[in-house]
Amino acid sequence: QVQLVQSGSELKEPGASVKVSCKASGYTFTDYAMNWVRQAPGQGPEWMGWINTKTGNPTYVQGFTGRFVFSLDTSVSTAYLQISSLKAEDTAVYYCARDATQQPYYFDYWGQGTLVTVSS
Amino acid sequence: SYELTQPPSVSVSPGQTATIICSGDKLGDKYVFWYQQKPGQSPVLVIHQDKKRPSGIPERFSGSNSGNTATLTISGTQAMDEADYYCQAWDTRTVVFGGGTKLTVL
């Protein structure tokens, strides 16, 4: 069965960096795009962008450029989200979500989420 | 940018039909997807391409989409259906989510 298992919660100080992992299993990793979604406390999901798992090419939504980096290690079927220069407003749950196709369209499987807390 | 609008909350009695709407400009020209999210859990896809149910989703969940409005209908609502529901569409290479509707089963 398809599973996306994310790394555990993180507590970081402002200005630090964090790297969230998302390990996929139960399907061919490069057959489906991988998306990243942010959900701030008490808010709805917000699409951050996606990464083409065949080429490694990332696409970032406006508002998630500069400090956010999507990457892959296809040898271990894992996608990564790195956020640098963390700010308090980055506090949120971050989800990886498999797309149902090779392009962003809709999300048929989600990771369990990684809570990133930014606080001094 | 494209926007999807949902009512913040909907209440329903157990066994009754819950209707959650999602509005957007010419939404009927796009496919709409619905996700259920229970507290502390990840979203789960319950409807894709307007009206299709993924494997494992109960038949009481159904969807429709026409004009400017998409609708998620839950027939014979159960206590376990209490959750936040989000609609989603795809517009000009962008995934857009609605603001979410909290379904309360009274």
Side-chain angles (χ1 to χ4, degrees), chain B residues 48-61:
Chain B
H48 64 94
Q49 291 164 301
D50 294 341
K51 57 186 180 182
K52 298 179 180 180
R53 279 180 294 104
S55 173
I57 300 301
E59 290 185 9
R60 64 180 180 274
F61 288 87

Side-chain angles (χ1 to χ4, degrees), chain A residues 11 19 27 34 45 62 74 98 104:
Chain A
L11 174 60
K19 193 170 186 177
Y27 70 99
M34 189 67 75
Q62 187 175 5
T74 56
R98 193 188 83 161

Side-chain angles (χ1 to χ4, degrees), chain B residues 38-39 78-85 102-106:
Chain B
K38 297 181 179 179
Q78 300 182 10
M80 68 173 64
D81 300 329
E82 186 163 285
D84 293 325
Y85 290 86
K102 181 176 182 59
L103 177 66
T104 300
V105 183
L106 298 170

